[in-house]
Amino acid sequence: MAQPVAPAPKTTLKLEGKRPTTGRWWRWPLRALLVLSLLAVAGAGGGYAFVHWKYADGLPAIPQVDAYRPPILSEVYTVDGVLAGEFYNERRKVVPYERIPKRFVQAFIAAEDADFFDHFGVDVLGTARAAFKTAVKKLTGKGKVQGGSTITQQTAKAVLISAEGYKESTAKTIKRKIREALLARRLESALTKEQILYLYLNNVYLGHHSYGVQSAAENYFRKDVKDLSLAQMALLAGLPQAPSAFSPFTKPEAAKKRRTYVLGQMLQKGMIAQAEYDEAMAAEVSVYPVEDVFHEFAPYFTEEVRRDVVERYGNKVLLDDGLKIFTTMDSEKQRAAQDSVLFGLLKLDKRQGFRGPLTHLATQAERDAFLAQSKKVMGAEQIAAGRYYVGLVGKISRDGLTADVHVGAQVAKLPALSLRWARELNSEKYYTGSLINKVTDALEEGDLVVVRAVDSIKDLTDDSEQKSDALAKAVPSGEQLVRLEQEPEPQSALVSIDPHRQYLVAMVGGYDFDANEFNRAFQACRQPGSSFKPIVYSGALELMKWTEGTVIVDSPLVYDDPENQNRWKPENYDEGFVGEVLLKHALVNSMNIPAVKTFIALARFLGEKNELVGIQKLGEYAKRLGFSTPLNPDYSAALGSSCVYPYELVQVYATINRLGLKKPTYFVRKIEDRFGRTLEDHTSFDDPFASLQDRVAGGYARMFEPGEQVMSRETGFLVTDMMRGVVLNGTGGPAQKLGKPAAGKTGTTNDSFDTWFTAFTRDLVTTAWVGYDRNVHPLGKYETGGRAALPIWLNYMSKALDGRSQPEFTPSAGLDLVTRRIDKKSGLVTSDTKNSMVLWFKRGTEPDDVAPEKGSVGTSQFIMQ
C-alpha cells in the first residue's frame, strides 16, 4: 500500500517588487497538494470519491489495445515499389510491442521512469511538485512550469490529446494534471504494463516529425526499429523530455550529453554491461537530415494523386487513416521524364537569349561584401562539376575570350565558347545568326551570374550549333571551367501513358514544383495547334468515308465573318500553295489549308449544310473521343485554336493507338487501408510489378470494363498510318532517331506560343508541350513543335524504351483493309513508282480507276476544292 505523503513544511514565498492581490494566494498550491494526497491514498474514503466526482466526468474510455487506432501516415508508392510521398497529421507507424527491442524499452524506462514496473501509475511526489510550481508560476510569473509524469501518465496525456485535442489536453492547469492522473490510474487498472508500453512507444513524440519509435528510427537513422544500435536507442530515449532542446540536428552536444545520461542510467541499473556502455559512449552522434520524399521525387505526380484521393475519400482519411496508395508511376520513366523536361527547357531557353545577370555590383565595397558571404557559405567546399553556383564576374581578358568568375575563395574561368547563346532577346531573329563571340558582348566586371562547373571543353556547350573551333582553341587548359546558365523562363509538361495497361507511367507538370505548383499537364488548357489535325481527319475518315487518298486542293481560302466584321485568311507554314494533294500528304506535311477545307466539309456534312450546327456536332465528336473542352464555333478550330489539356490530348492519341477503343487511364493502381484491405484495384493483368493475386483480381475486373469503341478499328489504324508518315517523311522526322517505329504529330500555334509533339510507339503514348504560362512574347519565329517539344519527347522515349523493342504498325487480325499504289496528284491507282504512295483503304473505299498516262486526261477519285 502506498505511504501517505508527509505534510509540506511551512514556507514563506517572497514576491519581489509586488504584493499578492489577495492574502489567500496559497490556497491553490495547498489545494493541489491535498488533491494529490487524496489520489495517493486512492480508495481511502470520501476524498478520492470527491476528486473523482469533481474531475473524472468526461474522461475518455480506456483504449482497447487490440482496437488501438491512432492517426498514422499514408504512403504513396510507385508501381515498382519506390516511396514517392507521405501524407500525415502525425508521422506515425504503429509496430507491435514484440518488434521493439528489449534494450530500447529499457532505455526509455531508464530515461523516463525507472520505477515503471513497480508503481501504480502516478508519481505522487513528482506530480505534487509540478502542480505546486505550476501554481507558483501562474501567481508570480516566476519559476518554471514542470512536468512530473510517469510513462503511464504520459500515455494518459496522449489519450487525452487524441480525445480532447492538443490545446485542452496540454493546458498548464491543475485540473488537467488531476484528470491525467485519474486516467493513468484507470490505465494501470485496465492494462498490463506491457500494453501501456505498447501505447506509449507508439505515441511518444520524439521530434523531427516523429510520433512513435518506428517513425523516429526511420527519420533519424533510416532504419527499422529492430535494427538500431544501443547508442541510437539511447539517443532517441533521451528525447521525450525536450525534443527541441536535445535535437541532434540543432544541438548535437546537448543530444550527446542526454544520451550519456541515459546510458549511465542503464549501466547503473544493470541493464547493460560496461563493455556495451563504453562502445555506445564512443559512437558519434550521426543522424540523417529531414527527407522530404514528396518534393524530392515526383511532386507533380504525387500531388495529383493527393488531390484525387482527397476528392474521393476525404482529407481526414488521407492524413489519419494510414492508406497505402500504389500509383501507376514507373520510377525510372518518371526520372527520365523529369530529366528530359529540364534538358529541353535549358536548351530552348538559351535559344531565346540572355535576360541579363542576376544583378550588378557597381562598387568595390559591394563586391567585397558578396565575396565574404560567398566564402562563408562555401567554406572549404571545392567547386564540383555539374553543380550550379552564383559567381561574381571579375577580370575579363583583353581579347574578351575569357573572364574570371569568383565562387567562394576560388576562381574559375568562363570562356566565351560557353556563352555564345547569350545574345539579347529577339524572337524575330534565328538565334544561330546572332550568336556572340566575346564575354564582353554579354557581361561586364561586377555582374553576378549563375554558372555551372564542367570537367572539360566538350561540356562547355551541349548545342552543336554553338560550337566554334576558334573559340575552343582560346579555352585555357588546366583551369576550372564554368559555363554561363540562367533559370529557364519557358514551361513544359510531359504526360506518358501505357495504353494497354491504361497506366499513367510518367507525368511532369512544370519546370519547378517548389516555385510554382500549377500542374500544366492537368490544369493548363492550351491550344494544340496542328496536334488537333489527326482528330479532324479521323472525323473525315469515320463520318464521311473519306480515305487516305482523298484529293484536296491546297489553294487560298478566305473566310468572312460578318457578325464580327472579320476576314480570316489561313496560310500554310511556308506561306505557299501546292494545288492538289492527297489527304495523307496533307497531314504528313501539316498543311493548314487542306485541314480547314476538311473541317468545313465535315461541318457541312454533319450540319446538313448548316455549318454552325455541324461545328457543334464536331465538338460532340471530339468530346466522344475524350476532350472535355468546347470547340471554337469557327473554322480556326481545324488548326487547333480550341484549348485542350495535355492529359486529355494524350489520352485521345492513346485511343487512336488502341484502334479507336476508348478506355480510362489510371494513375492510382490500388489503395489499401491500414489493415491491408483493398479499397480499389485497377491492376493490369500483365503488370510485372504486381502480385499474382492483384493481377488476377485486376484482370477479372477489367473484363467488366470493355471500353467504348468511339471510331471503327479501321479508322484508328488509318489515322495511325498517316501519323506514321509524319515521322517517316514529315514534320516529325527527328523522332526517327528513337530507332523504333513511332507515329505522331507536331503542333505549333501562331507565333509559337504553344509547341507540341504527341506521338506513340506500340507500348507508350507521350505528349510534350512547351510554352510560356503567360503569352507575353512568343517562343520565337523559328520555334516549332518539331524543334522545341520533339527533343523532350525523344529524350524521354529513348530512356523509357531503352532495351525494349517495339513492333512496326501493321494491321491486326480482323481489320478489313486493303492497299493500293496511288498517284499523288489524282488519287487514282497507278503503277508509277516515282510519283505515288502505297496507301491503306477500308475495303470497299479503294479506288478502281487507273490514273491516265502522263499527258492524257483523267478524273480524280474525289476533289475537295
Side-chain angles (χ1 to χ4, degrees):
M1 180 174 177
Q3 298 298 316
V5 178
K10 190 172 181 179
T11 59
T12 302
L13 181 64
K14 183 178 179 182
L15 299 177
E16 297 180 4
K18 290 186 179 181
R19 286 183 176 272
T21 55
T22 172
R24 294 176 291 181
W25 61 269
W26 41 266
R27 287 188 175 183
W28 279 108
L30 184 60
R31 186 178 297 171
L33 286 174
L34 174 62
V35 167
L36 293 167
S37 297
L38 290 170
L39 281 176
V41 290
Y48 178 76
F50 170 78
V51 172
H52 193 277
W53 169 80
K54 179 74 174 175
Y55 295 104
D57 186 48
L59 281 175
I62 301 301
Q64 297 180 17
V65 174
D66 291 343
Y68 176 53
R69 307 286 184 267
I72 57 176
L73 84 164
S74 292
E75 297 171 305
V76 179
Y77 290 94
T78 67
V79 75
D80 47 339
V82 176
L83 181 66
E86 298 176 336
F87 299 103
Y88 51 82
N89 280 319
E90 299 175 0
R91 193 189 186 283
R92 176 186 288 104
K93 289 185 177 181
V94 175
V95 288
Y97 181 73
E98 295 74 21
R99 268 191 59 198
I100 303 172
K102 180 181 177 182
R103 284 286 166 81
F104 203 8
V105 177
Q106 290 174 325
F108 274 98
I109 291 174
E112 293 291 308
D113 190 358
D115 299 323
F116 173 72
F117 282 101
D118 299 320
H119 62 58
F120 61 89
V122 180
D123 177 2
V124 177
L125 290 176
T127 305
R129 181 171 58 253
F132 182 83
K133 291 192 175 184
T134 298
V136 171
K137 173 70 175 175
K138 290 177 77 80
L139 287 167
T140 69
K142 296 180 181 296
K144 294 182 179 179
V145 175
Q146 282 197 349
S149 299
T150 65
I151 284 178
T152 310
Q153 284 176 273
Q154 292 181 52
T155 305
K157 183 178 180 179
V159 173
L160 284 168
I161 290 173
S162 179
E164 300 176 355
Y166 182 84
K167 184 177 180 180
E168 180 73 20
S169 304
T170 57
K172 305 299 183 182
T173 64
I174 294 170
K175 176 183 177 182
R176 195 270 298 172
K177 291 298 294 182
I178 293 172
R179 285 169 60 80
E180 180 185 292
L182 288 170
L183 185 57
R185 284 295 304 128
R186 290 186 179 183
L187 287 170
E188 288 280 347
S189 300
L191 304 175
T192 66
K193 291 287 187 178
E194 288 75 14
Q195 289 173 326
I196 292 172
L197 282 170
Y198 165 70
L199 297 176
Y200 171 74
L201 294 172
N202 280 298
N203 261 303
V204 62
Y205 179 63
L206 298 171
H208 198 44
H209 306 294
S210 306
Y211 287 83
V213 292
Q214 177 65 27
S215 179
E218 292 179 0
N219 281 355
Y220 285 99
F221 305 114
R222 298 185 185 171
K223 287 184 177 182
D224 190 274
V225 66
K226 63 181 174 58
D227 298 323
L228 295 174
S229 68
L230 176 59
Q232 292 168 338
M233 293 176 187
L235 183 72
L236 295 182
L239 292 175
Q241 190 180 98
S244 297
F246 299 129
S247 169
F249 295 100
T250 58
K251 299 176 181 176
E253 288 304 316
K256 189 173 184 179
K257 186 175 179 181
R258 180 66 176 167
R259 185 187 71 176
T260 299
Y261 166 77
V262 176
L263 290 170
Q265 289 293 101
M266 295 181 76
L267 179 65
Q268 181 183 334
K269 292 173 172 54
M271 296 175 177
I272 57 175
Q274 183 67 47
E276 294 175 297
Y277 172 84
D278 294 339
E279 182 183 354
M281 284 289 292
E284 291 294 323
V285 174
S286 177
V287 291
Y288 285 95
V290 176
E291 188 176 22
D292 189 350
V293 180
F294 175 90
H295 286 88
E296 292 173 3
F297 188 71
Y300 283 109
F301 199 121
T302 308
E303 171 62 10
E304 199 59 38
V305 170
R306 186 198 67 80
R307 289 171 182 265
D308 177 68
V309 172
V310 167
E311 182 179 345
R312 296 188 292 118
Y313 291 89
N315 198 48
K316 189 176 188 305
V317 171
L318 177 68
L319 297 180
D320 290 347
D321 284 10
L323 302 178
K324 276 194 169 49
I325 304 164
F326 301 94
T327 71
T328 60
M329 183 202 320
D330 183 303
S331 65
E332 292 187 4
K333 290 182 176 64
Q334 181 65 28
R335 289 190 186 96
Q338 292 170 175
D339 290 346
S340 299
V341 165
L342 178 60
F343 158 81
L345 285 180
L346 287 172
K347 290 192 69 172
L348 168 68
D349 189 63
K350 287 180 178 178
R351 295 201 296 270
Q352 305 300 293
F354 186 45
R355 292 186 292 278
L358 300 175
T359 190
H360 178 74
L361 304 180
T363 68
Q364 191 60 45
E366 290 176 317
R367 297 172 191 178
D368 290 342
F370 169 79
L371 289 175
Q373 180 64 24
S374 179
K375 290 174 184 177
K376 182 178 179 181
V377 171
M378 287 286 292
E381 179 186 345
Q382 295 296 304
I383 295 175
R387 294 195 60 182
Y388 292 83
Y389 301 94
V390 174
L392 174 67
V393 178
K395 182 179 179 181
I396 300 176
S397 64
R398 184 173 297 178
D399 58 12
L401 297 182
T402 62
D404 292 341
V405 175
H406 298 266
V407 179
Q410 302 162 73
V411 179
K413 290 293 184 182
L414 176 68
L417 179 62
S418 79
L419 48 72
R420 299 197 70 205
W421 59 271
R423 62 183 176 89
E424 291 184 359
L425 297 173
N426 189 335
S427 61
E428 291 300 311
K429 285 187 177 181
Y430 188 50
Y431 88 108
T432 57
S434 52
L435 293 173
I436 65 175
N437 294 305
K438 292 185 178 182
V439 175
T440 48
D441 291 337
L443 302 173
E444 61 180 296
E445 187 175 341
D447 285 343
L448 281 187
V449 293
V450 177
V451 295
R452 179 153 65 100
V454 299
D455 276 333
S456 61
I457 294 178
K458 65 182 180 62
D459 296 323
L460 285 172
T461 177
D462 50 18
D463 191 330
S464 61
E465 292 176 306
Q466 296 177 20
K467 301 287 186 183
S468 167
D469 291 339
L471 291 180
K473 291 177 181 178
V475 176
S477 60
E479 302 271 7
Q480 172 62 64
L481 302 176
V482 293
R483 53 188 273 184
L484 183 66
E485 300 286 356
Q486 68 181 359
E487 188 167 14
E489 187 179 50
Q491 286 288 350
S492 180
L494 185 146
V495 187
S496 186
I497 292 173
D498 181 328
H500 309 299
R501 292 183 182 136
Q502 300 166 238
Y503 284 2
L504 177 64
V505 295
M507 183 267 287
V508 179
Y511 164 69
D512 184 356
F513 181 86
D514 291 330
N516 190 334
E517 297 181 12
F518 182 65
N519 188 339
R520 295 150 192 85
F522 278 76
Q523 297 172 294
C525 198
R526 308 294 303 206
Q527 292 182 337
S530 297
S531 296
F532 194 75
K533 288 176 182 174
I535 285 76
V536 175
Y537 288 124
S538 75
L541 295 170
E542 178 74 8
L543 305 174
M544 293 195 299
K545 310 306 179 187
W546 282 19
T547 71
E548 289 188 4
T550 296
V551 179
I552 308 172
V553 178
D554 177 37
S555 59
L557 178 67
V558 178
Y559 173 69
D560 289 315
D561 181 0
E563 183 176 339
N564 297 308
Q565 296 185 341
N566 287 332
R567 169 166 285 189
W568 183 55
K569 297 173 65 176
E571 295 179 336
N572 293 319
Y573 182 74
D574 61 5
E575 300 180 356
F577 304 96
V578 298
E580 297 176 2
V581 295
L582 304 187
L583 187 146
K584 181 175 181 176
H585 179 87
L587 179 63
V588 166
N589 293 280
S590 199
M591 301 172 71
N592 288 339
I593 303 301
V596 173
K597 290 186 174 181
T598 301
F599 187 88
I600 293 172
L602 264 171
R604 290 172 178 171
F605 174 80
L606 293 175
E608 297 178 355
K609 298 185 179 180
N610 185 327
E611 294 177 10
L612 287 178
V613 172
I615 292 174
Q616 289 177 354
K617 290 186 177 181
L618 266 172
E620 293 170 4
Y621 173 72
K623 286 188 176 181
R624 190 163 81 248
L625 294 185
F627 294 109
S628 64
T629 50
L631 207 62
N632 287 347
D634 55 55
Y635 295 150
S636 70
L639 306 181
S641 66
S642 310
C643 75
V644 301
Y645 297 101
Y647 181 61
E648 292 182 351
L649 180 68
V650 75
Q651 287 190 95
V652 172
Y653 273 64
T655 294
I656 295 171
N657 177 285
R658 289 189 294 261
L659 302 182
L661 184 60
K662 178 183 172 184
K663 289 187 173 183
T665 298
Y666 300 107
F667 49 88
V668 172
R669 178 181 71 83
K670 181 183 178 182
I671 298 180
E672 293 178 350
D673 66 11
R674 68 165 75 205
F675 308 108
R677 298 177 302 199
T678 299
L679 303 181
E680 61 179 271
D681 192 351
H682 309 289
T683 305
S684 173
F685 74 94
D686 62 345
D687 184 337
F689 298 107
S691 67
L692 178 60
Q693 181 180 352
D694 286 351
R695 291 166 61 185
V696 171
Y700 179 74
R702 294 281 180 94
M703 293 173 61
F704 300 94
E705 299 175 0
E708 179 186 3
Q709 196 72 44
V710 293
M711 65 176 71
S712 71
R713 299 177 72 241
E714 286 79 8
T715 296
F717 176 81
L718 293 177
V719 177
T720 298
D721 180 63
M722 290 195 295
M723 289 196 290
R724 178 76 178 114
V726 172
V727 172
L728 289 175
N729 305 299
T731 57
Q736 292 185 68
K737 294 177 183 177
L738 180 64
K740 297 174 173 64
K745 186 69 187 74
T746 53
T748 310
T749 60
N750 288 345
D751 295 322
S752 299
F753 282 123
D754 294 282
T755 59
W756 303 74
F757 188 62
T758 310
F760 51 82
T761 62
R762 282 287 192 184
D763 297 335
L764 207 55
V765 186
T766 302
T767 188
W769 166 85
V770 177
Y772 290 106
D773 282 339
R774 294 181 176 87
N775 294 333
V776 179
H777 57 82
L779 288 174
K781 186 175 182 180
Y782 300 95
E783 297 295 345
T784 63
R787 184 169 180 79
L790 194 153
I792 295 176
W793 179 94
L794 179 60
N795 192 284
Y796 163 73
M797 292 288 281
S798 297
K799 295 175 181 177
L801 294 173
D802 184 33
R804 184 174 171 184
S805 62
Q806 297 289 285
E808 185 56 84
F809 296 98
T810 54
S812 57
L815 292 185
D816 197 10
L817 297 167
V818 296
T819 59
R820 293 288 186 273
R821 179 171 292 280
I822 301 298
D823 180 75
K824 288 184 178 181
K825 282 291 184 183
S826 68
L828 302 177
V829 177
T830 183
S831 58
D832 180 6
T833 58
K834 288 185 179 180
N835 300 301
S836 64
M837 304 169 67
V838 175
L839 303 180
W840 288 95
F841 295 87
K842 298 177 186 179
R843 189 179 300 276
T845 65
E846 70 275 15
D848 294 324
D849 295 334
V850 177
E853 296 293 328
K854 189 174 181 180
S856 61
V857 179
T859 305
S860 299
Q861 63 146 329
F862 178 84
I863 296 181
M864 173 61 196
Q865 297 289 345

